Amino acid sequence: MKLSVPGRATGAATLAIAALLTTSAMADAAPARVAAAPDISVANVKAHLTQLQSIATANGGNRAHGRTGYKASLDYVKAKLDAAGFTTTVQQFTSSGSTGYNLIADWPGGDTNQVVMSGSHLDSVTSGPGINDNGSGSAAVLEAALAVSRTQYAPTKHLRFAWWGAEELGMVGSRYYVNSLSTANRAKISGYLNFDMIGSPNPGYFVYDDDPAIEKTFKDYFTGLGVATEIETEGDGRSDHAYFKSAGIPVGGLFTGASTRKTAAQAAKWGGTSGQAFDRCYHSSCDTTANINDTALNRNSDALAYAVWELSE
Ligand code: DTR
Ligand code: ZN
Ligand code: ZN
């Protein structure tokens, strides 16, 4: 807003008038944002991935549903959240004859009639440690939750975070959770943000196109980075947002690609290797800590935090 003062006033008078006008102008300005999301340290996210890798290595090479590596992964995440002041709940269910577990973490405070939820599946396939699929999402959601605690963020809405079991068996854990909610409690979830594979080694930057407001929030973040995004097209019904969407809950999320090959046009805007899968180790034993693109993991972790702060304040 250009402040023009008619005539030539003295220096002090000019400043006083300018201050007065500035004050009145600020009075009409949009309310300042209460809080901006903190930067999420990709080193911290990768430290969680190192822990998940160690857990898989110590438990038969995977973190799959029904195997010891899955429960050990959940115990690791839960311990971090308990120490950070979250109210955690472990939800048990049975699938394919084995006990499965969801981990739900509520940040105390905020309007519990307006819940902003972020989630990722914590299980891997049996063939490998599942570091990109889906240690990447699980570690980013964990680090964003820990950032809420470190900053003692106190948003208007209530924050909830979740780590799902048995996604690889058909989104079993997240379906169990949604089905366990009463109609009233489903209505309290103002949005569910899903993060499944967000550090692919030959990454694309895909944004779910389900809820327009959530989609815009993520796209705004990447526009601010100067990073082009595409609409996520292969995932409808293929990850844990599916049952939330079926229940009428607004959903969104981020994805860096799986076995589909990157096109020449995509490589031109994102870098990486044309004609090669976004993740050549998808559902394979080579989905280890070496199977992560740090830039993609960093950008998506920060986009996650940005969306949580923007949608909850
Ligand atoms: N179903 C996920 C991987 C996956 C494949 N396409 C999409 C699209 C959006 C999210 C996830 C995915 C899995 O194997 O865990
Ligand atoms: Zn998978
Ligand atoms: Zn996955």
Side-chain angles (χ1 to χ4, degrees), residues 255-297:
F255 178 57
T256 49
S259 50
T260 301
R261 294 172 187 266
K262 182 179 281 185
T263 66
Q266 290 171 329
K269 67 181 166 184
W270 289 327
T273 307
S274 170
Q276 187 181 99
F278 295 106
D279 182 353
R280 286 185 294 182
C281 290
Y282 175 59
H283 285 188
S284 304
S285 59
C286 57
D287 187 6
T288 67
T289 46
N291 189 49
I292 290 289
N293 178 287
D294 291 4
T295 301
L297 185 63

Side-chain angles (χ1 to χ4, degrees), residues 32 66 70-71 73 76 100 132 146 162 195 204 242 252-253 274 286-287 291 294 303:
Y70 178 75
K71 186 61 168 58
S73 299
Y76 168 76
N132 185 39
L146 296 178
F195 304 92
S274 170
C286 57
D287 187 6
N291 189 49
D294 291 4

Side-chain angles (χ1 to χ4, degrees), residues 29-292:
R33 288 269 178 229
V34 173
D39 175 69
I40 300 300
S41 158
V42 71
N44 289 357
V45 179
K46 291 188 71 176
H48 299 314
L49 294 181
T50 299
Q51 289 297 320
L52 295 178
Q53 176 73 65
S54 298
I55 288 167
T57 302
N59 289 275
N62 68 72
R63 301 179 305 99
H65 166 75
R67 308 292 181 87
T68 53
Y70 178 75
K71 186 61 168 58
S73 299
L74 185 139
D75 291 344
Y76 168 76
V77 175
K78 183 179 185 296
K80 291 284 186 184
L81 293 162
D82 288 339
F86 284 83
T87 303
T88 58
T89 306
V90 177
Q91 186 179 51
Q92 285 194 15
F93 59 88
T94 301
S95 182
S96 302
S98 298
T99 301
Y101 308 89
N102 292 325
L103 175 62
I104 313 296
D106 284 276
W107 180 241
D111 179 2
T112 54
N113 290 308
Q114 298 183 84
V115 179
V116 174
M117 199 164 177
S118 302
S120 62
H121 75 85
L122 184 59
D123 63 311
S124 74
V125 291
T126 55
S127 54
I131 297 306
N132 185 39
D133 182 22
N134 185 37
S136 63
S138 296
V141 171
L142 172 58
E143 193 56 27
L146 296 178
V148 166
S149 173
R150 276 196 294 268
T151 58
Q152 286 296 292
Y153 182 39
T156 303
K157 299 178 183 174
H158 179 77
L159 295 178
R160 181 172 298 153
F161 302 86
W163 291 261
W164 307 118
E167 186 273 346
E168 300 289 7
L169 281 72
M171 294 89 76
V172 176
S174 54
R175 182 182 64 202
Y176 183 86
Y177 174 80
V178 173
N179 288 344
S180 72
L181 292 172
S182 64
T183 303
N185 282 331
R186 288 183 191 182
K188 294 175 182 178
I189 301 177
S190 54
Y192 171 72
L193 313 180
N194 193 61
F195 304 92
D196 184 354
M197 300 180 73
I198 63 169
S200 303
N202 186 26
Y205 292 90
F206 299 99
V207 176
Y208 295 14
D209 65 339
D210 302 279
D211 177 75
I214 298 174
E215 177 188 353
K216 181 181 187 304
T217 301
F218 283 124
K219 289 170 76 170
D220 286 350
Y221 182 78
F222 281 100
T223 299
L225 284 186
V227 174
T229 58
E230 290 185 8
I231 295 306
E232 198 297 297
T233 55
E234 68 169 280
D236 289 354
R238 289 189 62 180
S239 193
D240 292 300
H241 60 301
Y243 286 101
F244 286 86
K245 185 173 184 178
S246 300
I249 296 167
V251 302
L254 299 173
F255 178 57
T256 49
S259 50
T260 301
R261 294 172 187 266
K262 182 179 281 185
T263 66
Q266 290 171 329
K269 67 181 166 184
W270 289 327
T273 307
S274 170
Q276 187 181 99
F278 295 106
D279 182 353
R280 286 185 294 182
C281 290
Y282 175 59
H283 285 188
S284 304
S285 59
C286 57
D287 187 6
T288 67
T289 46
N291 189 49
I292 290 289

